[in-house]
Amino acid sequence: IVWLALWPSLALATDTGTSNNLFVLKKTGEDTFLASRSNLVTRDGISDLFFGYVDLTYGKRINEHWSIDAGYRHARLDLPDGWRDEYRPLVNLAYREQDEKWKIRNRNRLEFRDFDDESDDRIRYRNETVVIVRTTFSRFEFVPYFSQELFYEFTDDKFNQNWITIGAEKTLP
């Protein structure tokens, strides 16, 4: 009901593109790990490569469901006046739950964004929820997922993005 009340004031933008991710996880101890994420993003289908990053975090599994990690991400964004580098120290608190039919992940991230141009530095909170259905399709055994990620800028004191994604993932041995 709340969404219906807000509907006239929502501005929606749509675009098609790809988000190509590589996630590597390496256990370093009983409850500790290194994680690295790399990403290339296109828009206008696949014709416009406009964003990419690589990161490395060190983390600890708190219990069966919770983990925390901290690290650094280097990102590049194609803007009208050229590519801009962004330096992002970050902290993640994550929750995971699963059974034989589905998996759910919720990640809370605090990012400190430092830019290499005249842009003001920013502090941002991100909350992402991913639901993975444990049903494979195609001979490559892809697994479908749905995700939603909200972005809140503390610097501007406002929500500034809401990404909804539908896709497929493949876990390699």
Side-chain angles (χ1 to χ4, degrees):
I1 295 175
V2 173
W3 283 105
L4 292 175
L6 294 175
W7 183 258
S9 65
L10 295 176
L12 301 176
T14 61
D15 192 2
T16 60
T18 65
S19 178
N20 305 282
N21 296 284
L22 175 64
F23 177 75
V24 178
L25 182 67
K26 172 70 176 157
K27 283 186 146 193
T28 57
E30 177 91 17
D31 294 323
T32 59
F33 59 89
L34 283 172
S36 178
R37 297 163 190 84
S38 301
N39 183 268
L40 294 174
V41 181
T42 65
R43 60 184 164 212
D44 297 328
I46 60 171
S47 66
D48 183 12
L49 173 64
F50 75 97
F51 179 72
Y53 67 76
V54 62
D55 70 21
L56 181 66
T57 62
Y58 178 74
K60 178 168 179 49
R61 190 171 170 169
I62 300 168
N63 61 34
E64 178 185 356
H65 300 288
W66 290 95
S67 66
I68 188 165
D69 62 287
Y72 171 78
R73 173 174 288 173
H74 185 93
R76 295 198 82 202
L77 177 64
D78 187 13
L79 298 172
D81 58 344
W83 285 89
R84 177 178 71 186
D85 286 294
E86 194 174 317
Y87 314 98
R88 299 182 187 176
L90 56 92
V91 176
N92 293 309
L93 177 65
Y95 177 83
R96 296 175 186 268
E97 180 73 44
Q98 64 184 9
D99 68 15
E100 53 283 334
K101 294 183 181 180
W102 55 272
K103 286 194 244 181
I104 188 167
R105 298 188 305 241
N106 182 267
R107 184 210 62 224
N108 298 276
R109 173 178 293 157
L110 189 59
E111 292 180 328
F112 304 91
R113 303 172 69 203
D114 180 30
F115 305 103
D116 71 347
D117 61 12
E118 300 298 318
S119 299
D120 292 335
D121 295 344
R122 310 184 79 62
I123 298 173
R124 177 167 69 180
Y125 168 74
R126 297 168 63 168
N127 178 271
E128 179 186 48
T129 300
V130 179
V131 177
I132 300 167
V133 180
R134 291 186 172 223
T135 300
T136 61
F137 63 92
S138 87
R139 64 185 176 133
F140 300 107
E141 298 181 356
F142 286 110
V143 178
Y145 72 88
F146 168 83
S147 73
Q148 179 179 24
E149 185 169 14
L150 297 171
F151 296 72
Y152 182 83
E153 289 279 353
F154 287 105
T155 311
D156 295 336
D157 193 26
K158 67 178 181 179
F159 285 97
N160 68 346
Q161 293 183 53
N162 181 15
W163 291 351
I164 296 174
T165 305
I166 298 170
E169 70 178 28
K170 170 75 175 159
T171 300
L172 302 175

